[in-house]
Amino acid sequence: MGLQLVQVNFKARDDAALGRFWAQALGWGVSSEGPGVTNVEPVGFTWPDPAAVCVDVVSVPDPETVRYRAHLDLATTSAAHQAELVARLKELGATPADVGQGDVPWTVLADPEGNVFCVLEPREIYRDTGPIAAVVVNCADPRAMARFWGEAVAWTVHEAGDDFARLRSPKGVGPYLEFIRVPGGGSVWTRVHLDVLPYPGEDQAAEVERLKELGATLTDVGQGDVPWRVLADPEGNEFCVLRPA
């Protein structure tokens, strides 16, 4: 059955504080699997489930400050909801951000540690995604990225072109995974990355080998002796293959 896309992982100076921000932003709850890790997921959620891609915040001594390739888009249901959500996020510590977006109908903000995200205007396609409309990645070749990730996690490709690609769980639930072409591809995906998990009964090592055959490469980010494996996709974006519980 392969792999499940289970969470977006944020590196942070203060995992508890940033985790609280995202929990309040999304209306989710928080828990912790150990020191330095804050898990953000829907209340009553049984992990993993494609109905939600969760947020894991991990404390590191000095998170890099780079131009991130991956960010979250938040969904809204009306213009009033968008305005209310933006105002509430600012009260929680978010700040306006300018990434060269110009005059657009969505609002670009940065969380308390500077991670940029977007609060979208109402869009019919995101009406049933939950609070996270999409995980968005800047890249050089959206079509190739959709092909790799579609095969990696067996998500359905809904759109794939030279400038934009969109995938979603075949169950038709949860957020989309989207790729947007940016000339040059941007900087390496360092502070925000994806975590994938083998399905029950699947072998982590076998899945790593399958990903390598699809074009992924093993990478060393100083992780040391850990139960997960760190790889990079064909454009160099780091991601982790977790070990099944």
Side-chain angles (χ1 to χ4, degrees), residues 20-45:
R20 283 194 301 273
F21 169 85
W22 279 105
Q24 291 174 300
L26 301 172
W28 289 359
V30 295
S31 60
S32 178
E33 62 193 66
V37 180
T38 298
N39 313 109
V40 183
E41 56 191 34
V43 176
F45 183 77

Side-chain angles (χ1 to χ4, degrees), residues 35-173:
V37 180
T38 298
N39 313 109
V40 183
E41 56 191 34
V43 176
F45 183 77
T46 300
W47 187 91
D49 187 315
V53 172
C54 299
V55 174
D56 251 27
V57 186
V58 179
S59 181
V60 295
D62 186 22
E64 298 126 303
T65 54
V66 296
R67 183 178 177 85
Y68 308 117
R69 295 183 75 176
H71 71 267
L72 299 182
D73 279 355
L74 305 189
T76 62
T77 57
S78 66
H81 180 208
Q82 183 186 20
E84 182 276 331
L85 180 56
V86 168
R88 185 166 63 82
L89 290 166
K90 289 180 179 178
E91 291 176 357
L92 293 173
T95 53
D98 187 346
V99 293
Q101 67 270 21
D103 183 17
V104 292
W106 58 88
T107 301
V108 183
L109 300 171
D111 72 18
E113 291 214 7
N115 301 299
V116 171
F117 64 100
C118 298
V119 181
L120 301 180
E121 76 284 3
R123 300 185 193 180
E124 180 64 19
I125 192 170
Y126 302 130
R127 69 187 185 282
D128 60 353
T129 60
I132 299 176
V135 180
V136 183
V137 183
N138 294 343
C139 66
D141 188 341
R143 197 187 302 273
M145 290 287 278
R147 184 166 55 249
F148 170 83
W149 280 98
E151 293 185 33
V153 298
W155 275 25
T156 302
V157 178
H158 287 259
E159 182 177 350
D162 293 338
D163 296 321
F164 179 79
R166 174 184 286 129
L167 301 82
R168 197 183 192 193
S169 165
K171 294 186 177 180
V173 296

